[in-house]
Amino acid sequence: MAERCVRWATVAIFVILGFISHGNASPLRSKSNGTIITESDGSEIWCEPSQWYDVLWFWFANFLLHALSVRSLPGESWVSSTVFKFCCLLVPYTGVRRGLCLILRASNFAGNDLQSAARANALCMVIRGPESRPREGQVVEGCSIETPKDRKRRKKKRAKQRSPTLKNPFAGKPQCEKGGALEITTIDTNISGDTAIQPPICGNEVILKTKDLYTPPPARDLIDKLTKAFIESHRFHSQPPTVNLVDHVNVKIHGVCQLAPGYALSYIPEDIKVYSYIKHQRSFSISRLLGVNHVPDIKLASTHDVPRILFSIIQTVIGGYSLYKARGRQIEQYGYAAFGLTVLPYMMVSVINLIGSLLSSEYETVYLVHSAIMDEMKTRGGLCDGVVGTLERPPHQTYVYIEGELEIKPEGQTKAFVYSSGELHCHDTTGGSPKIELQVSPTNHKDPVISNWLAPKWRRSCREARKKRQKEGPSRNPLLCVPSHSGFTRLPPLWYQTCLKVLTIVLLILAMGLPYIIIAVLSGWKKGNSTSMQRTFVLNWYICGQLHGYTVSTVEGVDGRKNVIKSSVIIFVTYGSYSVMGFYVVFQEMLESGTCKAL
């Protein structure tokens, strides 16, 4: 709501400035101060000294409005949205990457509202966080034991799956010393259904760890690698649920969501199937009596944001008009440093976001999706209301089967957790296996946090944690991996996804090279009467605005209002100098050359 008020206020200011700057009846203008100039093609133009409102209107119409045309993310707070648009004003190609991500997802073509919202990053689910610990008597499915050797082999990518019919490769090896801890040999089952014999675990203490069932799809060809490297931003990059978390404090969630300790919210990946959800079973029973055997599709509130599309169209027209005006006297005077040519990068932002707005709907909030982990969280004092879908296939309900979809369930050992003398213990409840009791360490295992250049505090904490791990040495206790989320159905890749990837790559190449081609056609890279300082500032503005846009776009992954504001200050200090120098050249050239109109 606040963003819409800012948008319409911007339109009002734009109209007022345009009327003052271009109104023929404005008392602020006087034709006695102007001169008539004949251009090389014989046309005559009227030029007069530029006033403050002329400069402000040009900056407002050709720079600020282009930055405001960049789409906001679902549920994004007004602070985060304002900071991101401010970054787009300083580094224009920051908005190009978000527009390309919207084109890549093309949520309007998903088929139903739930899958469209999933592709637009507008759905979230409850997962077990790193601090989650089982309760007394809780039974958890899909557990697995991971030894230090397994972790070492995984890091080196040398893990080999072994058949369960083979002889135990660890038989005959030196066992634990007498009087030592228990020796446990486990058989782990992975997602694909294959089993692998695990090495003996010398020790009955394990460290609890949450592990994802979902693995991002690998890059299979060059197009996938280029897309992941240069197109997908933080929010649109395929990541495990424990990494792609929702900042539920600053992100607007539809309904009510109060998380219990140890749980978190995570965005649902685009290739996970979401089913329609009816909260009350009685409603579905009545529907069956009426002869309806399927749950109707859920309709979610979304918009195509017509005002933003009109913004983009108007800005593109204004940018084209500025280029048309720059082809004459401006280029003869300033060459390729003419201020009318500086709108080209911002025009690319508006055009790409215009295409993205046509292909993807906009969501004001992020919607909750039901899962078994949400039910578990509610039993611990959590509260969730306003659920629109579910990850679990509803029983006794018909649904549309998509060829190639794969149902993935937590597979592995089933562990029962009990407390004894204030300590957490667990044992295997799988039939036929010995019930060996394991003691769970009081502290959970945490993966190292990836450092972020925008948060020095995070970088220092990662460095201190790394030094601490090196000092204490590697942990020799095995990990008891508990699934972070429930099972799901994975959808096959869409048939047109490759076309979208190729389209985004082509648009990125055009956005990088087309401004220089247009400048070369209009100016022939001639210097004109521009100074070396003006040419240097303008070229730095072009090049750094493109290259730094890739880095500055990571600001959308910063959580917390204070960190977002701090990031905007860091970006302004680090990258704002190029845009400030570019704006200075624009203002200087406008005051020197004046404002001209065709007679």
Side-chain angles (χ1 to χ4, degrees), residues 391-407:
L391 296 181
E392 300 177 358
R393 182 179 298 175
H396 311 295
Q397 297 179 14
T398 59
Y399 65 97
V400 179
Y401 174 79
I402 300 177
E403 184 179 358
E405 68 180 32
L406 176 64
E407 186 177 3

Side-chain angles (χ1 to χ4, degrees), residues 122-190:
L123 298 181
C124 65
M125 61 180 176
V126 178
I127 64 171
R128 298 187 181 105
E131 300 293 340
S132 176
R133 294 182 67 82
R135 277 190 171 184
E136 170 71 26
Q138 183 177 353
V139 178
V140 181
E141 299 179 353
C143 300
S144 61
I145 295 180
E146 186 177 300
T147 63
K149 290 185 178 180
D150 296 333
R151 298 197 294 270
K152 188 176 181 180
R153 286 199 298 267
R154 189 181 69 250
K155 289 180 181 179
K156 295 182 178 180
K157 297 182 180 180
R158 296 177 181 176
K160 296 181 180 180
Q161 296 181 352
R162 299 178 182 271
S163 172
T165 58
L166 297 178
K167 183 180 178 181
N168 189 345
F170 303 101
K173 299 293 180 68
Q175 307 299 326
C176 298
E177 297 180 358
K178 294 181 179 180
L182 295 176
E183 176 189 349
I184 306 170
T185 303
T186 62
I187 299 180
D188 184 25
T189 306
N190 53 26

Side-chain angles (χ1 to χ4, degrees), residues 461-492:
S461 63
C462 294
R463 185 164 55 247
E464 293 173 358
R466 184 167 56 251
K467 291 181 179 179
K468 184 177 180 181
R469 289 195 303 269
Q470 293 176 355
K471 183 178 180 180
E472 296 177 353
S475 175
R476 296 186 178 276
N477 291 333
L479 300 178
L480 177 60
C481 299
V482 177
S484 63
H485 54 90
S486 56
F488 58 92
T489 301
R490 192 161 196 165
L491 296 173

Side-chain angles (χ1 to χ4, degrees), residues 125-303:
M125 61 180 176
V126 178
I127 64 171
R128 298 187 181 105
E131 300 293 340
S132 176
R133 294 182 67 82
R135 277 190 171 184
E136 170 71 26
Q138 183 177 353
V139 178
V140 181
E141 299 179 353
C143 300
S144 61
I145 295 180
E146 186 177 300
T147 63
K149 290 185 178 180
D150 296 333
R151 298 197 294 270
K152 188 176 181 180
R153 286 199 298 267
R154 189 181 69 250
K155 289 180 181 179
K156 295 182 178 180
K157 297 182 180 180
R158 296 177 181 176
K160 296 181 180 180
Q161 296 181 352
R162 299 178 182 271
S163 172
T165 58
L166 297 178
K167 183 180 178 181
N168 189 345
F170 303 101
K173 299 293 180 68
Q175 307 299 326
C176 298
E177 297 180 358
K178 294 181 179 180
L182 295 176
E183 176 189 349
I184 306 170
T185 303
T186 62
I187 299 180
D188 184 25
T189 306
N190 53 26
I191 294 178
S192 62
D194 300 330
T195 57
I197 299 178
Q198 302 292 331
I201 302 173
C202 295
N204 63 341
E205 184 178 7
V206 293
I207 301 177
L208 200 64
K209 176 190 176 182
T210 54
K211 191 174 183 179
D212 293 308
L213 295 177
Y214 177 84
T215 55
R220 301 181 178 180
D221 51 19
L222 180 60
I223 296 178
D224 290 345
K225 294 179 180 179
L226 292 176
T227 304
K228 290 181 178 296
F230 299 105
I231 304 298
E232 295 179 353
S233 60
H234 175 81
R235 278 281 296 269
F236 295 92
H237 190 68
S238 298
Q239 302 180 79
T242 54
V243 178
N244 198 13
L245 299 178
V246 179
D247 183 13
H248 63 279
V249 177
N250 294 318
V251 175
K252 292 179 287 186
I253 306 295
H254 174 75
V256 179
C257 182
Q258 295 180 359
L259 297 176
Y263 292 87
L265 288 177
S266 175
Y267 293 102
I268 293 181
E270 58 173 323
D271 56 347
I272 287 184
K273 189 172 184 177
V274 183
Y275 301 91
S276 298
Y277 177 75
I278 293 182
K279 184 177 181 180
H280 302 287
Q281 186 65 26
R282 180 182 176 184
S283 301
F284 179 66
S285 301
I286 295 176
S287 300
R288 294 189 65 184
L289 291 176
L290 296 177
V292 180
N293 295 324
H294 66 280
V295 178
D297 292 336
I298 301 295
K299 301 297 181 181
L300 301 181
S302 63
T303 178

